Amino acid sequence: MNSSTSMAAASTAGSHSRKGLGFMHYDDSDEENADYNQQQWQHNVEAFSLAGSVASKDSEVEIGFLRNTEKHIERKEKKGLISNDQEDEDYILAEARQPLWRKVPVPSSLINPYRIVIVMRLVVLAFFFRFRILNPVHDAFPLWLVSVICEIWLALSWLVDQLPKWFPITRETSLERLSLRFEQEGRQNKLAPVDVFVTTADPFKEPPIITANTVLSVLSVDYPVEKVNCYVSDDSASMLLYDTLYETSEFARIWIPFVNKYSIEPRAPEFYFSQKVDYLKDKVHPTFVRDRRAMKREYEEFKVRINVLISKAQKKPEEGWVMKDGTPWPGNNTEDHPGMIQVCLGSAGTLDMDGKQLPRLVYVSREKRPGYRHHEKAGAMNALVRVSAVLSNAPFVLNLDCDQYINNSKTIREAMCFLMDPQLGKRICFVQFPKRFDGIDNNDRYANRNTVFYDIVMKGLDGIQGPVYVGTGCVFNRQAIYGNKPPSDKKPKTSQSSCCCCCCSGDDSGSTFDLEEIDEGLEGFEEKEETSFISMKNFEKQYGMSPVLIASVLMEDGGLPKVTNTQLLIKEAIHVISCGYEEKTEWGKEIGWLYGSVTEDILTGFNMHCRGWKSVYCTPKRDAFKGSAPINLSDRLHQVLKWALGSTEIFFSGYCPLWYGYTGKLKLLQRLAYTNTIVYPFTSIPLLVYCTIPAVCLLTGKFIVPALTNVASIWLMALFTSMILTCVLELRWSGVNIQDWWRNEQFWVIGSVSSHLFAVFQGLLKVGGVHSNFTIRAKSTDNNSVSNQLYLFKWTTLMIPPTSLVILNMVGIVAGISDAINNGYNSWGPLFGKLFFSFWVIIHLYPFLKGLMGRQNRTPTIVVLWSILFALVFSMIWVRIDVFLPKKTGPVLVQCGLEC
């Protein structure tokens, strides 16, 4: 395998000392590293000021302000007091003062009927349960009791899920105003720098071409290039990914000028060239046609080079991988290797084909040693936070999975409309974008799009305290990651402990800091009299033994200390990703991504909200990000299992929303929403039981509901009517179509009786000390591969419960119909209620059945199902009406013993 540059990396195994720590060479010589341009690393964000007050966020206030401004300009123009040029200047100034975003509540004509129906449904549920409890079924008392308990649990589950949707909102941004305010011509660009994190863990299950496309979409984003820093975390220490990034950096030099010249979307080449659109229509300029064809040829050659690297990586040499200069690859042992950092783009002299500057691209692989817990993705994210704090320290952080590319090049600008807002921006911990996916079948058989969650639940949470963090496609405020609290209107912002500021000295010989050089951090604190030594010790207990990192943490607006020694930065970056750095610190406990759950996203966002932070849900017209989703049934069930297991882990941890954070500022409905996110797997138990009861009723001839009176029939009909109305009105205000809603309902049942059920038991086992490991889902961008994977059948134990439910209910239907045929006309009436519930179960499990049956080009699934059903019915009927069976009724013929 070849490598673009030579590098060396080493760190002492399990050592806390910084002695002997090596670093990756940025270029081919140490002298170039030492003379690295300091300004390339410095991104201090200048404080911005606005003339006049900012208008209210409400749309009515904004419209009124604009009208007043226009009238004021018209009056001055009539009096001849201003010229046209002055009018334009005044209008631009007035427009720049307007809010960068506005809240758009759901129209009252849509939301009020929805709320009324919810209240009506609660009333109906109360009367329904009154009837159910006061009218037990004595001849089937155990079945009746179990069914009532299950119904109460499911009703409470619906209530906990429903209440956080009471105040749904959407938000609109104004990118024009953002540019007017922070990108005025002739003045310094004041948009804040952004560090982008891309995480990957296995280059074979997460193909390098996918990661390359994600990185290219980041590097070509519509944002000032000097303010974009892309960090790629390689948790497998793979030389394949390392070489892929160098190939990607070379291709970026021709790709970025092309996309900027023609403003194409999306800016991930694989997905841009795969679009089924006629780019020759509408009289396209011949230059574009020629450049596009040339760029497509370049991209095909780029893919060939990546495929060559993959083919070479299939078989590892006995002596291990060796780089171009003959140096052994430091990551030959994926579980025992030093930390590695390499800058692929962004060094002095690295320009694109047009001679323009390129964004920074940094390869990072944290140190791993036996005997240390590395905490999977959460640990990798915390390592990226520390590395970026030392090297660039942008005030905002965007995190992406390797398969989640930027689909809208203005996405970062959309987030800045909230994060750089002078009123709300300082109190926002993150801006979450919805997940959208490529390669999903048109019918979305397994509800991969999750539209109910992203277009209903998340909008409801946005109206309370903000959406939950979903693990990717999220722009963070770095101060929230550091465990700080949002600024208060009454008191100046403080750190968690007594504060001092520190920065690097100009001495190149060591990492000493003069704490008296910066006095800004001491203003407004009550503990000024504490010595610098004590203050430094307090910060080291929280953030670790890195003065450079601590200095960066204390810079609230980002950027690096002005007197930072650039050579020291590289050594510190290696130091902060050492495997023992986090020991005896708050990383993973109160700082950064929290440990203790495989769903570190829910846990991290919950901790931020408990501190009083607010999050924002941004849904631009063009989807911000797109990624891949699990295609076949097995992968989808395992994905749901991971999410559900993470929720059960949080439930059994100290961060459970039921008892954690009551001293914070978490709102009641927000706590209810987080409670729903961690208790929903436990609903699998009553749901599994409730799906079994119909079959038991059909097999035993019993029923869970007594004979209905007229009043009881009215309440039962009212309950079903309110359920339907709730669904219809929810779809109206959210815009979700009925098919997506129905797929979500189906897979809720499928996931509950399989993945959620297993997650509950695995969570209990983890409490007992038994841990489960998860494999990374294989990802693909090939449309043909996606089509093949849809019908791929891979057996897993998760399929046992739903398969058993299907068979049991089908057998129950056959037995019920056979019994009705045998017993006559009067038995058909009670049978319909039992059949209704059994068919309800089978219809919800229908996508699961299609997944079991395989490809559609074989015998249609519905034919197979009905064939089996009719065969069983015919067999059972034949057995029940067989004339040779003994009769249970009629005269008993026995010998009387008399001679007649």
Side-chain angles (χ1 to χ4, degrees):
M1 239 181 175
N2 295 330
S3 174
S4 301
T5 63
S6 63
M7 69 177 177
S11 67
T12 55
S15 174
H16 289 249
S17 173
R18 304 205 317 270
K19 296 180 180 179
L21 288 172
F23 61 91
M24 306 290 290
H25 289 287
Y26 280 19
D27 294 302
D28 293 333
S29 66
D30 291 337
E31 294 181 359
E32 292 180 357
N33 289 330
D35 296 333
Y36 198 89
N37 188 357
Q38 177 177 338
Q39 294 180 353
Q40 296 292 327
W41 295 107
Q42 187 173 345
H43 293 304
N44 293 325
V45 181
E46 298 185 2
F48 53 88
S49 60
L50 301 176
S53 60
V54 180
S56 172
K57 298 189 293 290
D58 295 334
S59 59
E60 293 83 0
V61 177
E62 179 183 348
I63 295 172
F65 187 93
L66 288 173
R67 288 176 178 173
N68 292 336
T69 303
E70 292 173 357
K71 291 179 180 179
H72 178 70
I73 293 175
E74 289 177 1
R75 287 195 299 267
K76 282 194 172 185
E77 187 178 9
K78 289 180 180 179
K79 296 179 180 180
L81 297 178
I82 58 174
S83 61
N84 290 335
D85 293 339
Q86 186 177 354
E87 175 186 345
D88 294 340
E89 183 178 351
D90 289 345
Y91 177 78
I92 293 175
L93 181 61
E95 184 70 11
R97 292 174 180 174
Q98 299 305 302
L100 302 177
W101 63 275
R102 70 187 185 99
K103 186 185 298 183
V104 184
V106 177
S108 57
S109 59
L110 296 178
I111 194 63
N112 287 340
Y114 176 68
R115 292 168 178 166
I116 292 172
V117 171
I118 291 175
V119 175
M120 291 174 56
R121 185 170 173 179
L122 287 173
V123 174
V124 172
L125 277 172
F127 282 95
F128 172 77
F129 283 119
R130 179 179 180 275
F131 163 75
R132 292 284 283 134
I133 295 172
L134 296 180
N135 294 273
V137 181
H138 297 287
D139 60 341
F141 189 81
L143 280 178
W144 167 83
L145 181 61
V146 171
S147 66
V148 170
I149 294 174
C150 293
E151 289 166 1
I152 293 175
W153 183 289
L154 294 173
L156 291 175
S157 177
W158 167 80
L159 185 63
V160 172
D161 179 68
Q162 191 69 56
L163 290 182
K165 304 175 187 177
W166 195 263
F167 304 103
I169 63 169
T170 56
R171 301 176 191 265
E172 292 182 357
T173 59
S174 177
L175 300 182
E176 295 78 10
R177 292 173 183 171
L178 182 74
S179 297
L180 287 174
R181 186 174 296 182
F182 299 110
E183 294 183 295
Q184 297 180 6
E185 294 184 4
R187 298 184 181 181
Q188 183 181 5
N189 192 306
K190 295 183 179 180
L191 286 176
V194 178
D195 291 337
V196 183
F197 298 164
V198 179
T199 55
T200 179
D202 190 333
F204 294 101
K205 292 187 177 181
E206 299 169 330
I209 192 64
I210 296 181
T211 304
N213 273 272
T214 299
V215 170
L216 288 170
S217 71
V218 172
L219 298 178
S220 57
V221 72
D222 184 4
Y223 208 71
V225 293
E226 69 278 4
K227 297 178 182 290
V228 177
N229 310 282
C230 182
Y231 295 85
V232 180
S233 172
D234 178 16
D235 237 20
S236 62
S238 168
M239 191 172 174
L240 170 59
L241 181 62
Y242 173 76
D243 286 343
T244 298
L245 286 184
Y246 264 100
E247 292 290 346
T248 303
S249 64
E250 291 298 319
F251 181 73
R253 297 182 180 183
I254 59 175
W255 173 252
I256 294 177
F258 171 73
V259 298
N260 289 336
K261 180 178 180 181
Y262 297 108
S263 301
I264 66 169
E265 297 283 1
R267 300 191 174 185
E270 180 70 28
F271 303 96
Y272 169 68
F273 290 122
S274 63
Q275 291 181 123
K276 296 180 180 180
V277 294
D278 184 8
Y279 65 92
L280 296 177
K281 67 179 181 180
D282 298 330
K283 299 180 180 180
V284 177
H285 197 278
T287 304
F288 168 71
V289 178
R290 182 177 64 252
D291 290 349
R292 186 186 186 278
R293 289 175 177 171
M295 184 54 61
K296 189 172 184 179
R297 287 194 299 270
E298 291 286 349
Y299 179 64
E300 293 299 327
E301 294 176 3
F302 168 71
K303 290 173 66 176
V304 170
R305 294 194 295 271
I306 299 300
N307 290 333
V308 170
L309 294 176
I310 295 175
S311 63
K312 289 182 178 180
Q314 297 295 329
K315 186 177 181 181
K316 184 178 180 180
E318 294 182 1
E319 66 278 7
W321 301 115
V322 179
M323 292 183 293
K324 186 177 181 180
D325 61 351
T327 306
W329 172 249
N332 277 319
N333 187 341
T334 57
E335 299 300 326
D336 187 3
H337 64 83
M340 296 179 283
I341 298 175
Q342 180 72 32
V343 173
C344 304
L345 276 180
S347 58
T350 306
L351 304 174
D352 63 21
M353 61 180 297
D354 291 342
K356 297 181 180 179
Q357 184 180 351
L358 290 168
R360 185 172 296 108
L361 174 61
V362 184
Y363 170 87
V364 178
S365 182
R366 58 185 173 136
E367 181 187 20
K368 287 189 175 181
R369 301 296 183 189
Y372 286 88
R373 293 192 63 186
H374 301 108
H375 302 288
E376 300 176 333
K377 181 181 176 180
M381 293 298 298
N382 285 336
L384 287 178
V385 171
R386 296 192 295 271
V387 167
S388 63
V390 171
L391 298 183
S392 55
N393 198 36
F396 304 113
V397 170
L398 165 62
N399 94 280
L400 297 172
D401 290 339
C402 66
D403 63 330
Q404 203 81 14
Y405 68 92
I406 298 179
N407 184 62
N408 182 350
S409 62
K410 298 184 183 298
T411 293
I412 297 180
R413 294 177 178 270
E414 296 276 355
M416 290 302 113
C417 288
F418 301 101
L419 293 170
M420 297 188 70
D421 181 83
Q423 287 187 342
L424 184 64
K426 291 294 183 180
R427 294 190 291 275
I428 295 177
C429 56
F430 60 82
V431 177
Q432 178 66 63
F433 293 86
K435 277 187 180 181
R436 306 299 185 195
F437 303 98
D438 290 313
I440 299 177
D441 63 301
N442 295 330
N443 294 324
D444 193 14
R445 180 186 299 179
Y446 307 125
N448 282 303
R449 293 191 179 93
N450 282 333
T451 51
V452 172
F453 175 75
Y454 288 113
D455 295 339
I456 297 179
V457 177
M458 294 288 271
K459 289 182 179 180
L461 295 178
D462 198 18
I464 308 172
Q465 195 174 348
V468 298
Y469 169 44
V470 298
T472 185
C474 187
V475 184
F476 281 92
N477 184 331
R478 189 182 284 268
Q479 290 301 313
I481 297 176
Y482 287 149
N484 294 330
K485 295 181 180 180
S488 174
D489 296 333
K490 299 180 180 180
K491 298 180 180 179
K493 188 175 187 295
T494 64
S495 291
Q496 290 178 329
S497 63
S498 56
C499 181
C500 70
C501 281
C502 42
C503 63
C504 295
S505 67
D507 185 9
D508 294 350
S509 60
S511 59
T512 58
F513 289 81
D514 186 0
L515 299 175
E516 297 179 355
E517 287 190 5
I518 300 178
D519 296 328
E520 301 149 337
L522 296 175
E523 297 178 0
F525 296 99
E526 298 178 357
E527 299 178 352
K528 268 187 178 181
E529 66 277 5
E530 289 193 352
T531 63
S532 299
F533 177 78
I534 297 177
S535 300
M536 192 65 179
K537 286 297 182 182
N538 290 335
F539 279 107
E540 288 175 351
K541 290 179 181 179
Q542 290 182 294
Y543 301 103
M545 302 289 291
S546 173
V548 179
L549 174 62
I550 295 174
S552 301
V553 167
L554 296 174
M555 302 188 70
E556 296 182 3
D557 293 327
L560 298 175
K562 297 181 180 180
V563 291
T564 300
N565 177 4
T566 55
Q567 188 175 4
L568 179 63
L569 294 179
I570 312 302
K571 297 179 181 179
E572 287 296 316
I574 292 292
H575 171 51
V576 299
I577 61 173
S578 60
C579 57
Y581 181 83
E582 294 182 350
E583 289 191 358
K584 298 181 181 180
T585 67
E586 293 296 321
W587 286 100
K589 301 173 184 176
E590 295 295 331
I591 297 174
W593 272 253
L594 302 192
Y595 304 149
S597 172
V598 293
T599 53
E600 71 288 332
D601 46 5
I602 297 294
L603 197 57
T604 302
F606 170 65
N607 198 33
M608 291 179 179
H609 282 131
C610 286
R611 289 192 171 94
W613 291 94
K614 180 179 177 59
S615 59
V616 167
Y617 192 52
C618 183
T619 55
K621 293 181 179 179
R622 180 179 178 84
D623 294 334
F625 305 98
K626 283 190 175 182
S628 62
I631 303 301
N632 57 66
L633 177 61
S634 177
D635 288 345
R636 175 65 166 147
L637 289 177
H638 277 95
Q639 181 190 58
V640 175
L641 172 62
K642 178 181 177 180
W643 294 342
L645 178 58
S647 295
T648 57
E649 289 173 341
I650 297 174
F651 178 84
F652 292 117
S653 72
Y655 294 100
C656 179
L658 293 174
W659 51 74
Y660 178 81
Y662 278 97
T663 58
K665 298 181 180 179
L666 193 67
K667 294 184 178 180
L668 178 60
L669 288 180
Q670 191 78 1
R671 183 178 297 279
L672 199 64
Y674 273 110
T675 301
N676 184 46
T677 62
I678 58 101
V679 301
Y680 76 89
F682 296 92
T683 305
S684 61
I685 298 175
L687 183 62
L688 178 66
V689 173
Y690 204 70
C691 290
T692 308
I693 288 177
V696 176
C697 291
L698 287 167
L699 292 171
T700 61
K702 308 293 183 180
F703 199 37
I704 58 176
V705 180
L708 297 177
T709 63
N710 293 334
V711 176
S713 301
I714 293 175
W715 286 120
L716 188 61
M717 292 300 298
L719 178 61
F720 282 105
T721 303
S722 64
M723 292 170 63
I724 295 173
L725 287 177
T726 303
C727 168
V728 171
L729 294 174
E730 193 169 78
L731 297 184
R732 282 191 63 198
W733 68 254
S734 65
V736 175
N737 60 58
I738 186 65
Q739 181 181 1
D740 289 335
W741 177 86
W742 175 238
R743 291 301 187 200
N744 180 80
E745 289 294 307
Q746 287 179 310
F747 203 81
W748 172 71
V749 175
I750 295 171
S752 293
V753 299
S754 57
S755 301
H756 298 178
L757 184 67
F758 277 72
V760 171
F761 290 106
Q762 288 189 20
L764 292 172
L765 290 175
K766 186 173 181 180
V767 174
V770 180
H771 296 273
S772 301
N773 294 323
F774 286 95
T775 57
I776 300 171
R777 173 176 57 87
K779 303 175 177 67
S780 175
T781 57
D782 186 4
N783 290 332
N784 294 329
S785 176
V786 169
S787 177
N788 294 332
Q789 287 184 27
L790 175 62
Y791 307 109
L792 181 64
F793 176 81
K794 296 190 293 185
W795 175 255
T796 171
T797 53
L798 296 175
M799 296 181 179
I800 295 177
T803 304
S804 302
L805 276 179
V806 171
I807 295 175
L808 187 61
N809 278 275
M810 291 179 65
V811 170
I813 291 174
V814 171
I817 294 176
S818 302
D819 185 71
I821 293 175
N822 190 56
N823 292 332
Y825 178 80
N826 293 331
S827 61
W828 284 97
L831 177 66
F832 284 135
K834 304 173 187 178
L835 289 177
F836 171 80
F837 287 110
S838 280
F839 276 115
W840 179 90
V841 175
I842 293 177
I843 290 174
H844 277 78
L845 294 175
Y846 180 69
F848 175 80
L849 291 174
K850 290 180 69 70
L852 289 180
M853 300 310 297
R855 297 190 61 85
Q856 286 184 342
N857 57 7
R858 298 177 183 176
T859 306
T861 305
I862 192 66
V863 174
V864 175
L865 292 178
W866 281 108
S867 299
I868 295 174
L869 183 62
F870 281 122
L872 291 174
V873 170
F874 181 81
S875 301
M876 295 295 293
I877 292 176
W878 174 258
V879 170
R880 296 301 297 267
I881 66 175
D882 195 308
V883 294
F884 296 102
L885 287 176
K887 309 300 180 183
K888 295 183 180 179
T889 58
V892 179
L893 302 177
V894 295
Q895 189 174 359
C896 62
L898 300 177
E899 294 182 2
C900 301

